[in-house]
Amino acid sequence: MSFDDAVTRVMAARSPADLFGTADGAHAYRTLAKILHPDAAPDAATATRAFARLADLWAAHRDGLTMATRRGAYRVGPLAYAGDIADLYHVDGGAALLKLPRHPADSDLMRREAQALTRLRTHGDTRHAAYAPRLIESFTHRDPAGGDRRTATVLAHQDGFVSLARVKQSYPGGVDPRDAAWMWRRLLVAVGYAHRAGVVHGAVVPDHVLIHPGEHGLVLVDWCYSVTEPGQTVPALAAAYRDLYPPEVAARRPADEATDIHLATRCMTWLMGDRTPPALARFAHGCTLPHQHTRPHDAWRLLAELDELLEALYGPRTFRPFTL
């Protein structure tokens, strides 16, 4: 099916049955979602509209579905987010999110996320647990129509949070560095928390960094690309942010703490854009050097250095209300 054919089918559909009324509606959805995902489509604006329409129809089709696990049963509600590889649905009245990969072949990435979040819970400093989603459970789901088996997770919902990508939309000219400062500090805490637990996130990109504007909170999500063993490589890139990655990821070399520090730094310079002060730009340059071994590896030490620089630039820290 071509991109134009997929757009026509979705936009012409009057009800979910027009797209998913066959015995294997899930296969039809996954096929259309792959073609229409804005990251891969030839026309991003058209794809965004069609993908949103597809998501609404799929959510209506699935409404009322219940998934049973060892812990109990989840009533699957509407689509909440469409991620890189998976769709996230509201369950339990919105208190949690069911994360289900669009393709069974991506179940290995879902297992990576479950392993990373479990390690954070068992080896991480509990004082910083709020910087990552809480894993409620992971299980294998068998599609009753096609028989495909996919690894699914259930995560606590991060209410009131928005991605850095959404922040950039509100501030296309760049976020004020004084506001970016608290986001940068908290992002270093998030990766430092992970590193001390033996986890490298591997995909610290704007879509995966969520902030709470009013409370100045931050959560690092989507741990599907994480590394939990020395010598492991990041399994894939978030295609929309390929330019933010350090060289070792594309080269399939082992990832380490410097990989996350590079990505976190590029997130912040991307967010500030041309408003990045020269002193912060020099600081960022040292964190994004092409050779992995020449970059900082200790996020906590780097946070202390950033604090010194911010105080020299702006004086003692004060709370600045931030709105979108």
Side-chain angles (χ1 to χ4, degrees):
M1 188 187 309
S2 71
F3 173 73
D4 290 339
D5 289 340
V7 171
T8 299
R9 283 192 61 188
V10 170
M11 301 311 288
R14 294 170 296 177
S15 70
D18 292 339
L19 296 178
F20 316 120
T22 64
D24 195 357
H27 176 73
Y29 166 73
R30 291 194 295 272
T31 300
L32 289 166
K34 181 178 181 180
I35 296 170
L36 295 174
H37 199 283
D39 286 350
D43 181 344
T46 300
T48 298
R49 292 192 296 271
F51 194 85
R53 172 68 175 157
L54 174 68
D56 289 342
L57 289 166
W58 182 239
H61 176 72
R62 294 180 66 94
D63 189 29
L65 177 68
T66 298
M67 285 190 181
T69 72
R70 290 189 300 271
R71 291 175 59 97
Y74 298 99
R75 182 179 174 85
V76 182
L79 183 73
Y81 309 102
D84 302 329
I85 62 167
D87 293 322
L88 289 89
Y89 300 91
H90 288 291
V91 293
D92 285 358
L97 294 171
L98 168 70
K99 187 172 183 178
L100 196 63
R102 286 186 286 275
H103 305 287
D106 288 328
S107 288
D108 62 324
L109 300 179
M110 300 293 293
R111 289 191 288 271
R112 277 192 182 236
E113 176 166 64
Q115 183 178 4
L117 293 178
T118 298
R119 186 173 182 88
L120 289 176
R121 186 180 69 244
T122 56
H123 291 76
D125 188 332
T126 57
R127 292 176 300 172
H128 305 304
Y131 283 92
R134 179 172 62 87
L135 176 67
I136 297 174
E137 72 167 312
S138 175
F139 62 95
T140 299
H141 169 66
R142 182 183 182 277
D143 193 310
D148 290 333
R149 294 181 177 274
R150 288 175 285 169
T151 299
T153 57
V154 180
L155 307 167
H157 187 208
Q158 309 295 330
D159 192 32
F161 284 78
V162 297
S163 70
L164 290 188
R166 168 70 181 84
V167 174
K168 183 73 168 181
Q169 290 176 356
S170 288
Y171 294 89
V175 170
D176 188 313
R178 293 170 295 177
D179 294 315
W182 65 260
M183 303 176 201
W184 200 338
R185 295 188 72 258
R186 282 157 178 74
L187 186 52
L188 284 175
V189 173
V191 297
Y193 161 61
H195 296 167
R196 285 193 176 171
V199 181
V200 172
H201 184 276
V204 186
V205 298
D207 282 341
H208 301 160
V209 181
L210 308 185
I211 65 157
H212 194 294
E215 298 179 3
H216 286 197
L218 183 143
V219 179
L220 189 53
V221 301
D222 204 339
W223 296 75
C224 292
Y225 309 94
S226 59
V227 168
T228 55
E229 299 294 337
Q232 281 186 328
T233 60
V234 175
L237 287 80
Y241 299 105
R242 181 176 294 271
D243 292 345
L244 301 187
Y245 279 84
E248 64 266 19
V249 177
R252 303 287 293 173
R253 296 196 297 268
D256 63 12
E257 296 88 348
T259 305
D260 280 350
I261 286 174
H262 180 290
L263 284 163
T265 305
R266 292 288 284 116
C267 272
M268 302 316 302
T269 55
W270 174 87
L271 193 64
M272 292 183 288
D274 292 339
R275 301 184 69 175
T276 306
L280 282 178
R282 290 191 295 270
F283 179 86
H285 175 73
C287 298
T288 55
L289 294 170
H291 297 293
Q292 197 170 351
H293 70 277
T294 62
R295 288 181 233 134
H297 282 67
D298 189 330
W300 297 103
R301 180 179 297 176
L302 191 64
L303 174 59
E305 295 175 8
L306 177 62
D307 281 344
E308 290 180 5
L309 177 55
L310 292 172
E311 185 166 2
L313 285 172
Y314 304 118
R317 289 204 305 269
T318 58
F319 183 88
R320 284 172 54 86
F322 183 73
T323 59
L324 298 182

